Amino acid sequence: MAALACAALLAAGVAGGAQAGCGARPDPCRIAGGEYHAALPPGGGPAPPVVLFLHGAGSTGAAVMRNDSLVKPVLERGYAVIAPTGSRRFGGGAGRSWNFYPGWDGRDEAAFLHATVADAAERMGTAPDRVLLAGFSAGGFMVTYLACSSPGAFAAFAPVSGGFWRPHPAGCAGPVRLFHTHGWRDTTVPLEGRFLGGGRYQQGDIMAGLEIWRRANGCADQRPDGFDETGIFLRRRWDSCDPGSALELALFPGGHMVPRGWADMVLDWFEGLPPPP
């Protein structure tokens, strides 16, 4: 089902770079149920915060670590990068996807991601309570559903080019701290959604998803409270919401990708969040 359900999703764009393994070791970190790759920021230091990044369908954690435009700016800002590999087979190769849709059989991804964070904290001294969960495409779907069901599981959430599938959830737990990024020209996961698998599955509407997040956050109005521009990104945010929540959307003119500049923009947002109540 996984290959059919995610049939048109692309893996995260990969640029040349050294593959990170398990910190200083070349092989991935292996735990019960799966594996992850990790890299620590230069210069050491105690308990670095973490960007836990979930790859797109057909990719792996190792491929994420080769994406210099994503990984390098995160490391340079003092964060560790942890890139686990999904559990669902995708196609005939080594690529994987995520068990994101409610009711699918397979690995409990939330439990696996928590085990990943705990293992990295024990092995490498990363901060288990300062984790930004981010992901691209199918990884963005995974981030979105975890944010909906368990908004307190991680410090904040940052899906890229991935939201809900139809039928949209009736509601989500809240409050949530979430920054969604999407390409204006994305045809793989369009803003409006699309059918997959000959009509058996349907991606959801990103704007309808934002309405679900506004309800979860108790926002006073549908209208954004603020607008910003950061490089190529057009941003809109909702501030008149429950204490401890945060909600923002950034659109960029490209297609299905993690664009350059995303990491610094999202980390600026993450670092500017007020502490949870």
Side-chain angles (χ1 to χ4, degrees), residues 185-229:
R185 294 186 175 91
D186 193 335
T187 58
T188 301
V189 183
L191 288 166
E192 299 80 6
R194 70 185 181 105
F195 288 102
L196 296 173
R200 294 178 60 192
Y201 307 99
Q202 189 177 7
Q203 295 167 351
D205 187 297
I206 297 303
M207 297 304 175
L210 285 167
E211 175 65 18
I212 295 171
W213 295 127
R214 286 192 294 268
R215 291 200 305 268
N217 281 0
C219 297
D221 199 350
Q222 292 89 354
R223 182 183 60 189
D225 298 296
F227 302 86
D228 296 290
E229 295 183 27

mmCIF file of all heavy atoms in Angstrom, residues 185-229:
data_model
loop_
_atom_site.group_PDB
_atom_site.id
_atom_site.type_symbol
_atom_site.label_atom_id
_atom_site.label_comp_id
_atom_site.label_asym_id
_atom_site.label_seq_id
_atom_site.Cartn_x
_atom_site.Cartn_y
_atom_site.Cartn_z
ATOM 1 N N ARG A 185 4.441 26.576 -6.967
ATOM 2 C CA ARG A 185 4.325 25.803 -8.199
ATOM 3 C C ARG A 185 4.415 24.287 -7.954
ATOM 4 O O ARG A 185 4.664 23.529 -8.888
ATOM 5 C CB ARG A 185 5.418 26.225 -9.188
ATOM 6 C CG ARG A 185 5.277 27.663 -9.686
ATOM 7 C CD ARG A 185 6.314 27.950 -10.769
ATOM 8 N NE ARG A 185 6.133 29.274 -11.345
ATOM 9 C CZ ARG A 185 6.732 30.368 -10.888
ATOM 10 N NH1 ARG A 185 7.544 30.279 -9.857
ATOM 11 N NH2 ARG A 185 6.523 31.536 -11.448
ATOM 12 N N ASP A 186 4.204 23.862 -6.759
ATOM 13 C CA ASP A 186 4.295 22.433 -6.441
ATOM 14 C C ASP A 186 3.169 21.675 -7.144
ATOM 15 O O ASP A 186 1.982 21.933 -6.909
ATOM 16 C CB ASP A 186 4.192 22.236 -4.927
ATOM 17 C CG ASP A 186 4.596 20.838 -4.473
ATOM 18 O OD1 ASP A 186 4.515 19.894 -5.280
ATOM 19 O OD2 ASP A 186 4.985 20.699 -3.303
ATOM 20 N N THR A 187 3.528 20.743 -8.010
ATOM 21 C CA THR A 187 2.532 19.904 -8.680
ATOM 22 C C THR A 187 2.513 18.481 -8.127
ATOM 23 O O THR A 187 1.637 17.692 -8.480
ATOM 24 C CB THR A 187 2.790 19.844 -10.196
ATOM 25 O OG1 THR A 187 4.106 19.349 -10.440
ATOM 26 C CG2 THR A 187 2.650 21.234 -10.811
ATOM 27 N N THR A 188 3.488 18.138 -7.275
ATOM 28 C CA THR A 188 3.513 16.817 -6.655
ATOM 29 C C THR A 188 2.611 16.790 -5.429
ATOM 30 O O THR A 188 1.852 15.832 -5.226
ATOM 31 C CB THR A 188 4.953 16.449 -6.265
ATOM 32 O OG1 THR A 188 5.766 16.460 -7.440
ATOM 33 C CG2 THR A 188 5.019 15.081 -5.624
ATOM 34 N N VAL A 189 2.701 17.809 -4.618
ATOM 35 C CA VAL A 189 1.766 18.021 -3.507
ATOM 36 C C VAL A 189 1.198 19.433 -3.680
ATOM 37 O O VAL A 189 1.641 20.377 -3.037
ATOM 38 C CB VAL A 189 2.446 17.857 -2.137
ATOM 39 C CG1 VAL A 189 1.432 18.002 -1.009
ATOM 40 C CG2 VAL A 189 3.141 16.501 -2.026
ATOM 41 N N PRO A 190 0.230 19.605 -4.579
ATOM 42 C CA PRO A 190 -0.302 20.952 -4.821
ATOM 43 C C PRO A 190 -0.973 21.518 -3.578
ATOM 44 O O PRO A 190 -1.442 20.764 -2.708
ATOM 45 C CB PRO A 190 -1.323 20.728 -5.942
ATOM 46 C CG PRO A 190 -0.992 19.399 -6.531
ATOM 47 C CD PRO A 190 -0.404 18.587 -5.427
ATOM 48 N N LEU A 191 -1.040 22.825 -3.512
ATOM 49 C CA LEU A 191 -1.711 23.467 -2.381
ATOM 50 C C LEU A 191 -3.151 22.987 -2.237
ATOM 51 O O LEU A 191 -3.669 22.879 -1.124
ATOM 52 C CB LEU A 191 -1.689 24.990 -2.558
ATOM 53 C CG LEU A 191 -0.331 25.669 -2.353
ATOM 54 C CD1 LEU A 191 -0.371 27.092 -2.896
ATOM 55 C CD2 LEU A 191 0.051 25.667 -0.885
ATOM 56 N N GLU A 192 -3.790 22.683 -3.338
ATOM 57 C CA GLU A 192 -5.186 22.248 -3.311
ATOM 58 C C GLU A 192 -5.342 20.752 -3.071
ATOM 59 O O GLU A 192 -6.451 20.262 -2.864
ATOM 60 C CB GLU A 192 -5.871 22.590 -4.644
ATOM 61 C CG GLU A 192 -5.895 24.071 -4.968
ATOM 62 C CD GLU A 192 -4.579 24.578 -5.552
ATOM 63 O OE1 GLU A 192 -3.656 23.753 -5.814
ATOM 64 O OE2 GLU A 192 -4.457 25.806 -5.745
ATOM 65 N N GLY A 193 -4.239 19.990 -3.143
ATOM 66 C CA GLY A 193 -4.295 18.541 -3.058
ATOM 67 C C GLY A 193 -4.531 17.910 -4.410
ATOM 68 O O GLY A 193 -4.763 18.593 -5.420
ATOM 69 N N ARG A 194 -4.502 16.573 -4.471
ATOM 70 C CA ARG A 194 -4.765 15.865 -5.722
ATOM 71 C C ARG A 194 -5.007 14.395 -5.420
ATOM 72 O O ARG A 194 -4.734 13.909 -4.321
ATOM 73 C CB ARG A 194 -3.623 16.023 -6.710
ATOM 74 C CG ARG A 194 -2.352 15.297 -6.332
ATOM 75 C CD ARG A 194 -1.231 15.610 -7.328
ATOM 76 N NE ARG A 194 -0.007 14.906 -6.991
ATOM 77 C CZ ARG A 194 0.447 13.839 -7.642
ATOM 78 N NH1 ARG A 194 -0.241 13.325 -8.650
ATOM 79 N NH2 ARG A 194 1.588 13.271 -7.295
ATOM 80 N N PHE A 195 -5.496 13.672 -6.425
ATOM 81 C CA PHE A 195 -5.751 12.243 -6.297
ATOM 82 C C PHE A 195 -4.480 11.444 -6.554
ATOM 83 O O PHE A 195 -3.636 11.824 -7.369
ATOM 84 C CB PHE A 195 -6.838 11.802 -7.283
ATOM 85 C CG PHE A 195 -8.218 12.276 -6.909
ATOM 86 C CD1 PHE A 195 -8.784 13.364 -7.557
ATOM 87 C CD2 PHE A 195 -8.937 11.639 -5.914
ATOM 88 C CE1 PHE A 195 -10.053 13.808 -7.217
ATOM 89 C CE2 PHE A 195 -10.205 12.069 -5.565
ATOM 90 C CZ PHE A 195 -10.765 13.162 -6.214
ATOM 91 N N LEU A 196 -4.395 10.293 -5.880
ATOM 92 C CA LEU A 196 -3.309 9.340 -6.079
ATOM 93 C C LEU A 196 -3.901 7.946 -6.229
ATOM 94 O O LEU A 196 -5.032 7.689 -5.816
ATOM 95 C CB LEU A 196 -2.358 9.340 -4.879
ATOM 96 C CG LEU A 196 -1.583 10.619 -4.572
ATOM 97 C CD1 LEU A 196 -0.836 10.461 -3.261
ATOM 98 C CD2 LEU A 196 -0.615 10.945 -5.688
ATOM 99 N N GLY A 197 -3.114 7.045 -6.808
ATOM 100 C CA GLY A 197 -3.541 5.653 -6.877
ATOM 101 C C GLY A 197 -4.834 5.452 -7.635
ATOM 102 O O GLY A 197 -5.683 4.665 -7.219
ATOM 103 N N GLY A 198 -5.010 6.167 -8.739
ATOM 104 C CA GLY A 198 -6.227 6.019 -9.515
ATOM 105 C C GLY A 198 -7.476 6.457 -8.784
ATOM 106 O O GLY A 198 -8.572 5.967 -9.055
ATOM 107 N N GLY A 199 -7.319 7.404 -7.863
ATOM 108 C CA GLY A 199 -8.466 7.931 -7.128
ATOM 109 C C GLY A 199 -8.702 7.288 -5.776
ATOM 110 O O GLY A 199 -9.626 7.679 -5.057
ATOM 111 N N ARG A 200 -7.865 6.310 -5.414
ATOM 112 C CA ARG A 200 -8.052 5.628 -4.127
ATOM 113 C C ARG A 200 -7.653 6.503 -2.948
ATOM 114 O O ARG A 200 -8.150 6.335 -1.845
ATOM 115 C CB ARG A 200 -7.245 4.327 -4.086
ATOM 116 C CG ARG A 200 -7.723 3.264 -5.071
ATOM 117 C CD ARG A 200 -6.848 2.044 -4.997
ATOM 118 N NE ARG A 200 -6.864 1.440 -3.659
ATOM 119 C CZ ARG A 200 -6.014 0.501 -3.262
ATOM 120 N NH1 ARG A 200 -5.058 0.090 -4.090
ATOM 121 N NH2 ARG A 200 -6.096 -0.006 -2.048
ATOM 122 N N TYR A 201 -6.736 7.418 -3.180
ATOM 123 C CA TYR A 201 -6.254 8.300 -2.130
ATOM 124 C C TYR A 201 -6.303 9.738 -2.630
ATOM 125 O O TYR A 201 -6.265 9.978 -3.841
ATOM 126 C CB TYR A 201 -4.822 7.943 -1.724
ATOM 127 C CG TYR A 201 -4.651 6.495 -1.358
ATOM 128 C CD1 TYR A 201 -4.130 5.593 -2.293
ATOM 129 C CD2 TYR A 201 -5.031 6.022 -0.109
ATOM 130 C CE1 TYR A 201 -3.979 4.250 -1.973
ATOM 131 C CE2 TYR A 201 -4.882 4.684 0.220
ATOM 132 C CZ TYR A 201 -4.359 3.802 -0.718
ATOM 133 O OH TYR A 201 -4.217 2.484 -0.407
ATOM 134 N N GLN A 202 -6.336 10.666 -1.682
ATOM 135 C CA GLN A 202 -6.390 12.068 -2.083
ATOM 136 C C GLN A 202 -5.624 12.914 -1.078
ATOM 137 O O GLN A 202 -5.908 12.887 0.120
ATOM 138 C CB GLN A 202 -7.840 12.558 -2.169
ATOM 139 C CG GLN A 202 -7.969 13.939 -2.792
ATOM 140 C CD GLN A 202 -9.415 14.378 -2.931
ATOM 141 O OE1 GLN A 202 -10.314 13.710 -2.439
ATOM 142 N NE2 GLN A 202 -9.641 15.491 -3.595
ATOM 143 N N GLN A 203 -4.649 13.639 -1.587
ATOM 144 C CA GLN A 203 -3.963 14.605 -0.740
ATOM 145 C C GLN A 203 -4.931 15.711 -0.339
ATOM 146 O O GLN A 203 -5.836 16.061 -1.093
ATOM 147 C CB GLN A 203 -2.770 15.209 -1.481
ATOM 148 C CG GLN A 203 -1.677 14.228 -1.816
ATOM 149 C CD GLN A 203 -0.676 14.785 -2.810
ATOM 150 O OE1 GLN A 203 -0.876 15.861 -3.381
ATOM 151 N NE2 GLN A 203 0.392 14.048 -3.046
ATOM 152 N N GLY A 204 -4.703 16.276 0.835
ATOM 153 C CA GLY A 204 -5.594 17.298 1.335
ATOM 154 C C GLY A 204 -5.250 18.694 0.848
ATOM 155 O O GLY A 204 -4.275 18.919 0.130
ATOM 156 N N ASP A 205 -6.066 19.631 1.252
ATOM 157 C CA ASP A 205 -5.922 21.042 0.900
ATOM 158 C C ASP A 205 -5.128 21.725 2.004
ATOM 159 O O ASP A 205 -5.506 21.680 3.177
ATOM 160 C CB ASP A 205 -7.311 21.670 0.748
ATOM 161 C CG ASP A 205 -7.257 23.086 0.227
ATOM 162 O OD1 ASP A 205 -6.690 23.954 0.917
ATOM 163 O OD2 ASP A 205 -7.807 23.336 -0.855
ATOM 164 N N ILE A 206 -4.031 22.367 1.645
ATOM 165 C CA ILE A 206 -3.163 22.996 2.643
ATOM 166 C C ILE A 206 -3.890 24.113 3.383
ATOM 167 O O ILE A 206 -3.756 24.266 4.607
ATOM 168 C CB ILE A 206 -1.883 23.532 1.979
ATOM 169 C CG1 ILE A 206 -1.074 22.373 1.364
ATOM 170 C CG2 ILE A 206 -1.032 24.298 2.990
ATOM 171 C CD1 ILE A 206 -0.687 21.279 2.334
ATOM 172 N N MET A 207 -4.691 24.895 2.671
ATOM 173 C CA MET A 207 -5.410 25.982 3.330
ATOM 174 C C MET A 207 -6.481 25.445 4.285
ATOM 175 O O MET A 207 -6.726 26.022 5.343
ATOM 176 C CB MET A 207 -6.024 26.915 2.287
ATOM 177 C CG MET A 207 -5.000 27.607 1.405
ATOM 178 S SD MET A 207 -3.756 28.537 2.367
ATOM 179 C CE MET A 207 -2.658 29.065 1.052
ATOM 180 N N ALA A 208 -7.126 24.340 3.912
ATOM 181 C CA ALA A 208 -8.074 23.711 4.828
ATOM 182 C C ALA A 208 -7.351 23.199 6.071
ATOM 183 O O ALA A 208 -7.877 23.245 7.191
ATOM 184 C CB ALA A 208 -8.811 22.576 4.135
ATOM 185 N N GLY A 209 -6.127 22.707 5.877
ATOM 186 C CA GLY A 209 -5.331 22.296 7.027
ATOM 187 C C GLY A 209 -5.018 23.447 7.963
ATOM 188 O O GLY A 209 -5.052 23.297 9.196
ATOM 189 N N LEU A 210 -4.740 24.615 7.408
ATOM 190 C CA LEU A 210 -4.482 25.786 8.254
ATOM 191 C C LEU A 210 -5.709 26.148 9.093
ATOM 192 O O LEU A 210 -5.587 26.612 10.229
ATOM 193 C CB LEU A 210 -4.051 26.970 7.397
ATOM 194 C CG LEU A 210 -2.624 26.901 6.853
ATOM 195 C CD1 LEU A 210 -2.418 27.955 5.777
ATOM 196 C CD2 LEU A 210 -1.609 27.076 7.976
ATOM 197 N N GLU A 211 -6.901 25.947 8.535
ATOM 198 C CA GLU A 211 -8.119 26.193 9.310
ATOM 199 C C GLU A 211 -8.194 25.240 10.506
ATOM 200 O O GLU A 211 -8.602 25.639 11.609
ATOM 201 C CB GLU A 211 -9.343 26.028 8.416
ATOM 202 C CG GLU A 211 -10.685 26.153 9.144
ATOM 203 C CD GLU A 211 -10.923 27.549 9.705
ATOM 204 O OE1 GLU A 211 -10.242 28.508 9.264
ATOM 205 O OE2 GLU A 211 -11.793 27.681 10.586
ATOM 206 N N ILE A 212 -7.778 23.994 10.306
ATOM 207 C CA ILE A 212 -7.750 23.031 11.416
ATOM 208 C C ILE A 212 -6.755 23.485 12.480
ATOM 209 O O ILE A 212 -7.038 23.428 13.685
ATOM 210 C CB ILE A 212 -7.397 21.632 10.878
ATOM 211 C CG1 ILE A 212 -8.505 21.134 9.945
ATOM 212 C CG2 ILE A 212 -7.184 20.648 12.030
ATOM 213 C CD1 ILE A 212 -8.142 19.867 9.197
ATOM 214 N N TRP A 213 -5.599 23.956 12.051
ATOM 215 C CA TRP A 213 -4.606 24.438 13.018
ATOM 216 C C TRP A 213 -5.111 25.675 13.760
ATOM 217 O O TRP A 213 -4.861 25.820 14.966
ATOM 218 C CB TRP A 213 -3.293 24.767 12.304
ATOM 219 C CG TRP A 213 -2.592 23.611 11.681
ATOM 220 C CD1 TRP A 213 -2.161 23.509 10.394
ATOM 221 C CD2 TRP A 213 -2.223 22.374 12.306
ATOM 222 N NE1 TRP A 213 -1.556 22.304 10.171
ATOM 223 C CE2 TRP A 213 -1.575 21.580 11.337
ATOM 224 C CE3 TRP A 213 -2.376 21.866 13.593
ATOM 225 C CZ2 TRP A 213 -1.079 20.313 11.601
ATOM 226 C CZ3 TRP A 213 -1.887 20.592 13.863
ATOM 227 C CH2 TRP A 213 -1.248 19.834 12.887
ATOM 228 N N ARG A 214 -5.807 26.572 13.069
ATOM 229 C CA ARG A 214 -6.313 27.766 13.752
ATOM 230 C C ARG A 214 -7.330 27.385 14.822
ATOM 231 O O ARG A 214 -7.351 27.969 15.908
ATOM 232 C CB ARG A 214 -6.922 28.742 12.738
ATOM 233 C CG ARG A 214 -5.899 29.473 11.893
ATOM 234 C CD ARG A 214 -6.525 30.631 11.117
ATOM 235 N NE ARG A 214 -7.461 30.178 10.117
ATOM 236 C CZ ARG A 214 -7.164 29.924 8.852
ATOM 237 N NH1 ARG A 214 -5.920 30.057 8.421
ATOM 238 N NH2 ARG A 214 -8.094 29.529 7.994
ATOM 239 N N ARG A 215 -8.170 26.400 14.528
ATOM 240 C CA ARG A 215 -9.116 25.947 15.548
ATOM 241 C C ARG A 215 -8.390 25.309 16.725
ATOM 242 O O ARG A 215 -8.726 25.552 17.880
ATOM 243 C CB ARG A 215 -10.113 24.951 14.943
ATOM 244 C CG ARG A 215 -11.084 25.558 13.952
ATOM 245 C CD ARG A 215 -12.315 24.669 13.762
ATOM 246 N NE ARG A 215 -11.975 23.313 13.378
ATOM 247 C CZ ARG A 215 -11.885 22.880 12.121
ATOM 248 N NH1 ARG A 215 -12.096 23.742 11.118
ATOM 249 N NH2 ARG A 215 -11.598 21.624 11.857
ATOM 250 N N ALA A 216 -7.395 24.497 16.436
ATOM 251 C CA ALA A 216 -6.635 23.858 17.508
ATOM 252 C C ALA A 216 -5.924 24.885 18.383
ATOM 253 O O ALA A 216 -5.769 24.681 19.593
ATOM 254 C CB ALA A 216 -5.630 22.881 16.912
ATOM 255 N N ASN A 217 -5.498 25.983 17.768
ATOM 256 C CA ASN A 217 -4.781 27.019 18.509
ATOM 257 C C ASN A 217 -5.693 28.078 19.107
ATOM 258 O O ASN A 217 -5.208 29.015 19.747
ATOM 259 C CB ASN A 217 -3.744 27.693 17.600
ATOM 260 C CG ASN A 217 -2.489 26.864 17.441
ATOM 261 O OD1 ASN A 217 -2.374 25.780 18.013
ATOM 262 N ND2 ASN A 217 -1.532 27.364 16.680
ATOM 263 N N GLY A 218 -6.997 27.945 18.886
ATOM 264 C CA GLY A 218 -7.925 28.922 19.441
ATOM 265 C C GLY A 218 -7.732 30.316 18.890
ATOM 266 O O GLY A 218 -7.900 31.310 19.617
ATOM 267 N N CYS A 219 -7.391 30.422 17.602
ATOM 268 C CA CYS A 219 -7.137 31.748 17.015
ATOM 269 C C CYS A 219 -8.434 32.547 16.911
ATOM 270 O O CYS A 219 -9.505 31.993 16.651
ATOM 271 C CB CYS A 219 -6.507 31.595 15.636
ATOM 272 S SG CYS A 219 -4.885 30.786 15.660
ATOM 273 N N ALA A 220 -8.319 33.851 17.097
ATOM 274 C CA ALA A 220 -9.493 34.709 17.153
ATOM 275 C C ALA A 220 -10.132 34.925 15.789
ATOM 276 O O ALA A 220 -11.319 35.234 15.698
ATOM 277 C CB ALA A 220 -9.108 36.066 17.762
ATOM 278 N N ASP A 221 -9.371 34.752 14.705
ATOM 279 C CA ASP A 221 -9.891 35.060 13.374
ATOM 280 C C ASP A 221 -9.140 34.232 12.347
ATOM 281 O O ASP A 221 -8.027 33.747 12.608
ATOM 282 C CB ASP A 221 -9.717 36.557 13.080
ATOM 283 C CG ASP A 221 -10.623 37.057 11.958
ATOM 284 O OD1 ASP A 221 -11.248 36.219 11.279
ATOM 285 O OD2 ASP A 221 -10.681 38.284 11.753
ATOM 286 N N GLN A 222 -9.757 34.085 11.172
ATOM 287 C CA GLN A 222 -9.054 33.423 10.069
ATOM 288 C C GLN A 222 -7.971 34.320 9.478
ATOM 289 O O GLN A 222 -6.979 33.856 8.943
ATOM 290 C CB GLN A 222 -10.045 33.042 8.957
ATOM 291 C CG GLN A 222 -11.026 31.965 9.344
ATOM 292 C CD GLN A 222 -12.287 32.537 9.964
ATOM 293 O OE1 GLN A 222 -12.381 33.744 10.207
ATOM 294 N NE2 GLN A 222 -13.251 31.675 10.225
ATOM 295 N N ARG A 223 -8.188 35.613 9.571
ATOM 296 C CA ARG A 223 -7.265 36.574 8.963
ATOM 297 C C ARG A 223 -5.908 36.548 9.667
ATOM 298 O O ARG A 223 -5.823 36.553 10.889
ATOM 299 C CB ARG A 223 -7.858 37.973 9.076
ATOM 300 C CG ARG A 223 -7.021 39.069 8.446
ATOM 301 C CD ARG A 223 -7.679 40.420 8.679
ATOM 302 N NE ARG A 223 -7.815 40.710 10.104
ATOM 303 C CZ ARG A 223 -8.504 41.741 10.594
ATOM 304 N NH1 ARG A 223 -9.145 42.546 9.764
ATOM 305 N NH2 ARG A 223 -8.570 41.937 11.895
ATOM 306 N N PRO A 224 -4.798 36.524 8.908
ATOM 307 C CA PRO A 224 -3.478 36.580 9.540
ATOM 308 C C PRO A 224 -3.283 37.885 10.309
ATOM 309 O O PRO A 224 -3.857 38.924 9.970
ATOM 310 C CB PRO A 224 -2.504 36.477 8.363
ATOM 311 C CG PRO A 224 -3.300 35.872 7.254
ATOM 312 C CD PRO A 224 -4.703 36.367 7.449
ATOM 313 N N ASP A 225 -2.445 37.817 11.323
ATOM 314 C CA ASP A 225 -2.106 39.000 12.116
ATOM 315 C C ASP A 225 -0.863 39.706 11.612
ATOM 316 O O ASP A 225 -0.590 40.838 12.012
ATOM 317 C CB ASP A 225 -1.880 38.597 13.577
ATOM 318 C CG ASP A 225 -3.121 38.009 14.207
ATOM 319 O OD1 ASP A 225 -4.111 38.741 14.335
ATOM 320 O OD2 ASP A 225 -3.106 36.811 14.558
ATOM 321 N N GLY A 226 -0.093 39.035 10.770
ATOM 322 C CA GLY A 226 1.133 39.663 10.292
ATOM 323 C C GLY A 226 1.614 39.045 8.998
ATOM 324 O O GLY A 226 1.297 37.897 8.681
ATOM 325 N N PHE A 227 2.373 39.844 8.238
ATOM 326 C CA PHE A 227 2.921 39.424 6.948
ATOM 327 C C PHE A 227 4.388 39.837 6.901
ATOM 328 O O PHE A 227 4.746 40.935 7.335
ATOM 329 C CB PHE A 227 2.171 40.087 5.791
ATOM 330 C CG PHE A 227 0.692 39.805 5.772
ATOM 331 C CD1 PHE A 227 -0.185 40.596 6.506
ATOM 332 C CD2 PHE A 227 0.180 38.753 5.030
ATOM 333 C CE1 PHE A 227 -1.549 40.348 6.494
ATOM 334 C CE2 PHE A 227 -1.186 38.496 5.009
ATOM 335 C CZ PHE A 227 -2.050 39.286 5.741
ATOM 336 N N ASP A 228 5.233 38.949 6.372
ATOM 337 C CA ASP A 228 6.656 39.250 6.259
ATOM 338 C C ASP A 228 7.180 38.672 4.954
ATOM 339 O O ASP A 228 6.572 37.781 4.349
ATOM 340 C CB ASP A 228 7.440 38.639 7.438
ATOM 341 C CG ASP A 228 7.043 39.238 8.771
ATOM 342 O OD1 ASP A 228 7.361 40.417 9.012
ATOM 343 O OD2 ASP A 228 6.406 38.525 9.569
ATOM 344 N N GLU A 229 8.334 39.169 4.540
ATOM 345 C CA GLU A 229 9.054 38.613 3.409
ATOM 346 C C GLU A 229 10.483 38.320 3.851
ATOM 347 O O GLU A 229 11.151 39.177 4.425
ATOM 348 C CB GLU A 229 9.061 39.581 2.226
ATOM 349 C CG GLU A 229 7.678 39.829 1.635
ATOM 350 C CD GLU A 229 7.717 40.736 0.413
ATOM 351 O OE1 GLU A 229 8.778 40.755 -0.264
ATOM 352 O OE2 GLU A 229 6.716 41.412 0.139
#
